[in-house]
Amino acid sequence: MSVIAEVTVPVADFPLGRALTAAPEMRIELERVVPTGEGVMPFFWVWGDDVDSFVAALESNPAVDRVAVLDRLDDGALVEAVWSDDPGLIEGVIESRATLLEVVRREDWWVFRLRSPDHGAIAGLQRYCADNGVDLRLNWIHTLSEFDAGEQYGLTDDQRETLVAAFEAGYFDDPRGTSLAALGERFGISPRAVSKRLRRGLRNLVDAALADHDR
């Protein structure tokens, strides 16, 4: 059964993150990631005043075969990069037959959301990364039906992810298996923000699943 998983890797374990160390004021916004015969070809926007330094750093990375600036704006550029098939995160994604749905950066980590044929494919990606020195960490994994349940019960993605993470970590157990602070570290937000997500998510869940709106 197909699954959706969220994994994280340190910035240094992803070629785009390494390029950011040469131009730390730059920001990246990924457009899409397409599997090809040559590897994975990302199209992304890079924002800031030092596009040339970023592109030069990316070109010097052995994990990237080719880089091209497709379009320039006053404060950034649209960039295309073809990645090599050297062992690493992207080659691991290709071998696992996973589809990269979304990539965002949260402080010192890249967060990847993947769609995969089954749980075994995600386990294979974890083994590949471990064998090739990539510090990949699995945040959560759900079947497509579980993932779609968020929309069914009126939950935002953040609310659903936080509720599931809190449940799996034992936050609702007695005694509690985790804390708001620990959950906040996991999501890169404050304990107060975690508490708000949980309260709003639980309210939406109860409203959609249990409340009697005919009364």
Side-chain angles (χ1 to χ4, degrees):
M1 180 180 292
S2 295
V3 298
I4 303 289
E6 183 182 274
V7 301
T8 57
V9 298
V11 165
D13 282 355
F14 188 41
L16 295 181
R18 296 173 211 160
L20 283 174
T21 63
E25 74 284 358
M26 304 298 289
R27 294 180 295 106
I28 291 175
E29 177 185 347
L30 229 65
E31 281 287 295
R32 58 194 176 103
V33 180
V34 182
T36 71
E38 298 176 304
V40 169
M41 183 182 297
F43 296 83
F44 58 90
W45 290 94
V46 56
W47 302 104
D49 298 327
D50 201 3
V51 172
D52 292 335
S53 294
F54 175 87
V55 170
L58 198 58
E59 287 176 329
S60 67
N61 194 308
V64 180
D65 282 341
R66 186 171 69 252
V67 182
V69 176
L70 303 181
D71 195 12
R72 285 183 181 265
L73 302 177
D74 291 339
D75 56 349
L78 179 63
V79 178
E80 173 190 13
V82 179
W83 300 15
S84 72
D85 58 0
D86 291 340
L89 174 66
I90 296 303
E91 186 65 17
V93 170
I94 295 170
E95 289 202 5
S96 71
R97 297 178 293 124
T99 300
L100 198 47
L101 301 176
E102 181 183 16
V103 183
V104 295
R105 185 180 177 183
R106 295 178 185 166
E107 298 182 352
D108 296 331
W109 296 85
W110 285 101
V111 182
F112 296 80
R113 186 168 292 179
L114 308 165
R115 182 173 63 241
S116 182
D118 50 42
H119 286 77
I122 297 297
L125 173 61
Q126 290 178 288
R127 288 192 298 271
Y128 182 96
C129 288
D131 291 343
N132 289 281
V134 178
D135 183 12
L136 180 138
R137 304 182 185 186
L138 177 64
N139 289 346
W140 50 259
I141 183 169
H142 304 296
T143 64
L144 284 179
S145 59
E146 291 171 333
F147 189 79
D148 291 340
E151 294 185 3
Q152 176 184 351
Y153 292 111
L155 301 175
T156 67
D157 286 347
D158 285 342
Q159 290 167 0
R160 181 190 52 75
E161 290 175 23
T162 306
L163 282 168
V164 171
F167 175 80
E168 292 177 344
Y171 178 77
F172 299 111
D173 295 347
D174 186 15
R176 284 180 172 168
T178 191
S179 65
L180 292 175
L183 290 169
E185 289 182 6
R186 175 170 177 172
F187 290 102
I189 60 177
S190 69
R192 183 176 179 182
V194 174
S195 178
K196 285 184 177 179
R197 282 190 192 177
L198 291 175
R199 289 200 310 272
R200 291 171 181 171
L202 286 171
R203 183 187 184 283
N204 290 345
L205 185 61
V206 171
D207 182 61
L210 301 177
D212 185 355
H213 294 286
D214 295 328
R215 290 168 45 176

